[in-house]
Amino acid sequence: MDDSGPVTDYGSSMVQWMHNRRPRYKGPTLGEWERPSASYVVDMLPPLANVSNPVDSIPAKHLHASLNKAKHPVNVVKWTPEGRRLLTGSSSGEFTLWHGMAFNFETLMQAHDSAVRAASYSHSDDWLISADHLGIVKYWQPNFNNVKVIEAHNDPIRDLAFSPNDTKFVTASDDSHLKIFDFAGGVEELILEGHQWDAKSVDWHPTKGLIVSGSKDHQVKLWDPRTTRCLTTLHGHKNSIAKTVFEPTRGQLLATCARDPTARIFDLRMMRDVCLLRGHEKDISTLTWHPIHTSLLSTGGSDGSLFHYLLNEPNSPTGTAASISPYDSPDPSNAPAQTIYPAHKIPYAHDFNIWSLDWHPIGHILASGSNDRVTRFWIRARPGENECFDDRYHIGEAAAEAQGTWDRRGGRKQQREEEEQEIEDEAEGLIDQQMPVRQAMLPGIPGMAAPPPISSDGTTLSGANQSQIPGMGAAVPPPLPPVPGLAGIKIPGMDPANPPDLSKLAALFGNIPPPPGAGGQFPPPPPIPGTFPNGVIPPGLLPPGFKLPPGFPPPPPAQGGIPGMSADGTSGGSIRKRAPLPSQQESLMEEQRRGKYRSAR
């Protein structure tokens, strides 16, 4: 896999594996094994080519850090089913899409009105459901078109999961209840009651009708979704449960973590814990299984640490005796759980609490979202690459600066440049998502844009000649209507396809007969139906001194005209006249006779 710079392209590795692979019953894939040398980079294979060797898939190298322009804690990270993009949900209710190979910004959208708390893709990869702090569940299509909104709970929803056939989904909320909804109708069907405090996590078995939930009451419960009956309660933790996840490949194991420094692995066939994961110094806030290797588990701590465990390798520290697995003991039911220590530690992966972890569907990149507002991508180291184990994520900033593997000023400069690049990418992405500028439309003609202003030389302000109908593209303007009296008249010597110049045209105009009408004038236009009778304007409607155009008949003289109005515009007839208004002098004298306004002010 080529991960030079911030780009990771797994195409060559997949093609090489597909070219050389063979059925598993014939043994491992033919080809040269990797060795700790840079020349063996071309022989790197995807995790699916090495199912029996999970150590090759441990993501020990920091690849890239992505952050938004407006920084908010990242609560959810989820790879899209095809692995081309990473979806992150923040405490501001925003969805952000990051490119799956270059890790640059692609899309930002306001998905919820409150913090995004959980998200899950359906097994058919056709739907995404998300939940927020207000108890709202939303349905999303792969193109992130929101098609449905459900008010599932009155309290924050902490987790949700799809059923194996995608017909139902279950939610866990701070109201201590689990609710099962019909996905097609969005209707609540069943309520699972039994927890005494907030339900913090829930998961549906990948193949069975089995639900697991973890609560703030320190209990892990297994439920029958058909009868709402609690099958059993697992008492393995002494603090609030943070995450409960079924192993997605075989479904035989269950991983749980709590607000304590330990995580536990339960075997569903024995209904007991078989592994105890130690190594964290503070609380474990989340965990996730590898999609290919059933024995690889990654955990994120409240101090920002990221640990990777191999369940078939105890990795006991020096001076600590290795414990025996219950599978190897003579009495598996009563044997104590085997203690597993991390196969690889990244103590300074994030500055604050890691809220979410998710593997790429191929299994070569791990994404982490944290309370430090940064989304980080982790990948396996190249053959022979050892510098990544001495970076600031493994030994801290002070130690890395002392060893010369990290420069504080250079690191800040690089971080600033990355932030500026992310801001630029986000700005360009938001510009691409803007609606087109609304053009002025002609009144009364929907869809036809108004023509641009035309200058004195007959061209638009943009320089283009206005010879086409606005909004019609290259359509030819319709021909002008024929002039009455000129139909059938042909100008001798004129070819319509090749008109002569203006001087020749002016010389030919002398032979055109005058149009029919009085004095060679054009006939008046035909009367408009529903207006004046016979096309004659009634008397009294034209203002004095108005001259009609040539060809229009003059109106008849006024005979009475409008009632109450004489021909000269004054009042007349038997209609009552309006009395003249009294003058101000007469009004003042009348008021003085009444005893007012006699003394000067």
Side-chain angles (χ1 to χ4, degrees):
M1 302 175 190
D2 181 16
D3 58 358
S4 58
V7 179
T8 298
D9 185 8
Y10 52 85
S12 59
S13 300
M14 294 294 295
V15 170
Q16 181 182 0
W17 171 62
M18 294 173 64
H19 182 267
N20 298 326
R21 66 179 176 176
R22 60 179 183 172
R24 293 183 182 176
Y25 70 88
K26 291 186 177 181
T29 303
L30 295 177
E32 192 168 1
W33 290 95
E34 296 179 16
R35 298 182 183 180
S37 174
S39 60
Y40 286 85
V41 172
V42 295
D43 297 318
M44 295 178 67
L45 297 176
L48 198 59
N50 240 340
V51 180
S52 60
N53 197 12
V55 69
D56 285 345
S57 299
I58 294 179
K61 177 182 177 181
H62 177 262
L63 184 60
H64 186 70
S66 299
L67 64 162
N68 294 71
K69 177 180 179 181
K71 303 178 182 63
H72 299 280
V74 181
N75 297 333
V76 178
V77 293
K78 189 69 64 175
W79 286 96
T80 55
E82 78 284 353
R84 294 183 178 180
R85 295 170 182 86
L86 176 73
L87 172 69
T88 63
S90 66
S91 60
S92 62
E94 296 175 340
F95 277 173
T96 306
L97 281 178
W98 305 96
H99 195 276
M101 291 186 180
F103 315 111
N104 58 317
F105 170 85
E106 283 202 353
T107 305
L108 177 68
M109 61 178 294
Q110 188 67 40
H112 288 267
D113 296 332
S114 61
V116 180
R117 294 299 180 189
S120 177
Y121 274 97
S122 62
H123 296 85
S124 63
D125 303 338
D126 294 333
W127 294 96
L128 169 71
I129 55 176
S130 59
D132 62 13
H133 197 75
L134 298 178
I136 304 297
V137 174
K138 292 189 176 183
Y139 291 17
W140 305 89
Q141 291 176 329
N143 60 353
F144 293 95
N145 178 32
N146 182 217
V147 297
K148 198 176 189 64
V149 179
I150 301 175
E151 296 183 3
H153 296 266
N154 295 325
D155 292 318
I157 297 178
R158 298 297 177 177
D159 204 357
L160 46 77
F162 268 103
S163 64
N165 55 5
D166 295 336
T167 59
K168 306 179 188 303
F169 66 91
V170 60
T171 60
S173 172
D174 282 354
D175 57 8
S176 74
H177 294 159
L178 307 177
K179 291 185 179 182
I180 299 177
F181 291 85
D182 176 68
F183 177 75
V187 181
E188 175 187 322
E189 289 188 346
L190 298 172
I191 299 179
L192 308 182
E193 299 178 345
H195 283 294
Q196 305 301 320
W197 215 345
D198 303 353
K200 294 297 185 181
S201 179
V202 69
D203 193 20
W204 205 310
H205 195 277
T207 58
K208 297 179 174 58
L210 185 64
I211 293 176
V212 62
S213 64
S215 172
K216 205 173 180 179
D217 58 5
H218 311 173
Q219 296 179 355
V220 176
K221 292 181 178 292
L222 296 173
W223 307 83
D224 183 358
R226 303 177 183 86
T227 62
T228 70
R229 185 170 63 94
C230 179
L231 301 178
T232 186
T233 301
L234 304 176
H235 301 274
H237 295 280
K238 299 180 181 179
N239 212 321
S240 175
I241 306 298
K243 196 70 175 177
T244 57
V245 185
F246 286 112
E247 197 277 314
T249 305
R250 299 178 181 177
Q252 298 176 354
L253 301 178
L254 168 67
T256 64
C257 65
R259 295 294 182 181
D260 54 35
T262 62
R264 292 181 181 270
I265 308 298
F266 293 86
D267 192 327
L268 299 179
R269 298 165 296 181
M270 303 170 61
M271 281 299 176
R272 56 151 297 177
D273 53 340
V274 293
C275 293
L276 176 63
L277 308 185
R278 294 184 178 275
H280 279 276
E281 297 179 358
K282 293 188 177 180
D283 305 345
I284 301 177
S285 54
T286 186
L287 53 81
T288 184
W289 292 92
H290 193 275
I292 308 298
H293 303 293
T294 59
S295 60
L296 179 56
L297 186 74
S298 301
T299 61
S302 59
D303 56 353
S305 58
L306 179 61
F307 289 0
H308 306 289
Y309 294 86
L310 295 176
L311 302 185
N312 52 5
E313 296 182 9
N315 294 303
S316 301
T318 304
T320 303
S323 57
I324 301 176
S325 172
Y327 302 114
D328 299 330
S329 65
D331 188 7
S333 301
N334 299 322
Q338 184 182 18
T339 302
I340 306 293
Y341 291 91
H344 187 77
K345 298 181 181 181
I346 309 179
Y348 306 97
H350 285 271
D351 296 334
F352 299 105
N353 202 325
I354 298 179
W355 291 125
S356 181
L357 296 171
D358 194 39
W359 280 96
H360 191 279
I362 296 180
H364 68 297
I365 296 179
L366 176 67
S368 60
S370 170
N371 203 41
D372 60 4
R373 305 175 176 88
V374 180
T375 302
R376 298 192 184 276
F377 298 87
W378 310 87
I379 197 172
R380 59 159 294 188
R382 288 181 171 187
E385 186 177 14
N386 298 321
E387 295 82 3
C388 62
F389 301 107
D390 293 330
D391 60 5
R392 65 189 184 97
Y393 304 105
H394 286 81
I395 60 178
E397 294 184 358
E401 189 175 11
Q403 291 187 5
T405 57
W406 184 71
D407 182 13
R408 186 179 300 272
R409 294 182 179 179
R412 291 178 179 177
K413 180 180 179 181
Q414 180 182 0
Q415 182 179 1
R416 184 167 58 252
E417 292 176 353
E418 292 178 355
E419 292 180 2
E420 293 175 354
Q421 182 64 35
E422 298 293 351
I423 293 174
E424 182 179 352
D425 294 342
E426 182 173 345
E428 293 177 356
L430 295 179
I431 291 176
D432 294 339
Q433 300 173 39
Q434 289 180 356
M435 296 293 292
V437 180
R438 293 179 61 89
Q439 298 181 352
M441 297 297 175
L442 290 177
I445 308 179
M448 180 174 288
I454 302 177
S455 60
S456 59
D457 57 354
T459 59
T460 62
L461 295 181
S462 59
N465 195 301
Q466 188 70 11
S467 60
Q468 299 175 353
I469 300 178
M472 298 295 290
V476 179
L480 295 176
V483 180
L486 294 180
I489 298 178
K490 297 183 179 180
I491 303 176
M494 176 178 286
D495 184 9
N498 187 18
D501 56 1
L502 296 179
S503 59
K504 186 176 181 181
L505 187 63
L508 294 176
F509 272 141
N511 300 327
I512 300 177
Q521 300 292 332
F522 288 100
I528 301 176
T531 56
F532 306 123
N534 300 325
V536 179
I537 302 176
L541 289 184
L542 296 178
F546 181 80
K547 295 181 180 181
L548 291 172
F552 284 84
Q559 299 178 358
I562 299 177
M565 187 73 69
S566 61
D568 57 354
T570 61
S571 301
S574 59
I575 304 301
R576 182 173 61 86
K577 298 180 180 180
R578 173 183 290 179
L581 294 175
S583 64
Q584 294 184 0
Q585 185 69 20
E586 294 176 356
S587 300
L588 178 59
M589 294 175 62
E590 181 66 26
E591 292 294 332
Q592 288 178 350
R593 282 195 296 268
R594 295 178 182 178
K596 299 180 180 179
Y597 305 111
R598 290 189 176 183
S599 60
R601 295 183 178 179

